[in-house]
Amino acid sequence: MSTVAAGRINFVKPINIKEYTELSIFITKAAISSEIGVNLQYNISPRINKRFIQKDISKLELTEMAYELTENPWCSQSDALFYGAVYNDDYTCDGIDKKNSKIIKIQNFFESVFKSDLVREITFELWEDSPPKEADEPSINTKDFFDVLDKAYKSTRATDSSLIPSIRLKMLKYKK
């Protein structure tokens, strides 16, 4: 099964369809400049769509946007975004190799998205076999994203079915 790296971008207030379109362009440009890909709202894969899109956009008060991260703009997978974890002989993770991982690029993407005045918070889920529980949702600053994922990998034992931790985060916009 492939890696899921997805979530919701929540807005500070309901926005109109013009602002929604402009924000989706802004987010797409942020992904491209971070050298990753992003699918938004109804372009996300079916398994993720079921988890993150619960409303019909014609009835939707535009307060959020679902997203799915991909390896690059032309790929539909996200597995390679999370390469770089170093496992020991006993299947415990020694951490993420910062130089060979794209996790810093994901962190840069989230930091760029928060530059929009319309964005209030971003939820992020990473999983492979089964999604994390919504109750397990620490709030973090985007600057801590890599460190939080590194810690999650270190506390996950690799199994035959998954090398990916199951984690859910809420990133909040912090004043600088």
Side-chain angles (χ1 to χ4, degrees), residues 72-102:
N72 52 55
W74 55 265
C75 184
S76 64
Q77 301 294 313
S78 59
D79 299 340
L81 289 174
F82 301 95
Y83 290 168
V86 179
Y87 287 92
N88 299 313
D89 291 339
D90 65 353
Y91 301 105
T92 59
C93 184
D94 203 29
I96 300 169
D97 179 358
K98 204 170 196 174
K99 282 176 39 178
N100 294 312
S101 170
K102 292 186 176 183

Side-chain angles (χ1 to χ4, degrees), residues 87-156:
Y87 287 92
N88 299 313
D89 291 339
D90 65 353
Y91 301 105
T92 59
C93 184
D94 203 29
I96 300 169
D97 179 358
K98 204 170 196 174
K99 282 176 39 178
N100 294 312
S101 170
K102 292 186 176 183
I103 294 175
I104 292 296
K105 292 179 181 197
I106 298 169
Q107 180 174 314
N108 293 338
F109 165 72
F110 288 136
E111 290 171 353
S112 295
V113 171
F114 271 122
K115 290 179 182 174
S116 168
D117 292 335
L118 296 173
V119 176
R120 177 176 47 93
E121 71 182 37
I122 301 170
T123 58
F124 171 78
E125 290 187 5
L126 176 64
W127 50 278
E128 201 167 50
D129 292 334
S130 60
K133 295 179 176 81
E134 291 198 25
D136 303 332
E137 182 182 73
S139 296
I140 67 165
N141 188 323
T142 53
K143 71 177 183 60
D144 299 324
F145 182 77
F146 179 88
D147 294 333
V148 170
L149 280 186
D150 190 50
K151 185 177 178 182
Y153 269 87
K154 287 177 181 176
S155 66
T156 302

Side-chain angles (χ1 to χ4, degrees), residues 31-43:
I32 291 168
S33 69
S34 298
E35 299 177 8
I36 64 171
V38 67
N39 294 325
L40 300 172
Q41 200 59 19
Y42 293 106
N43 291 325

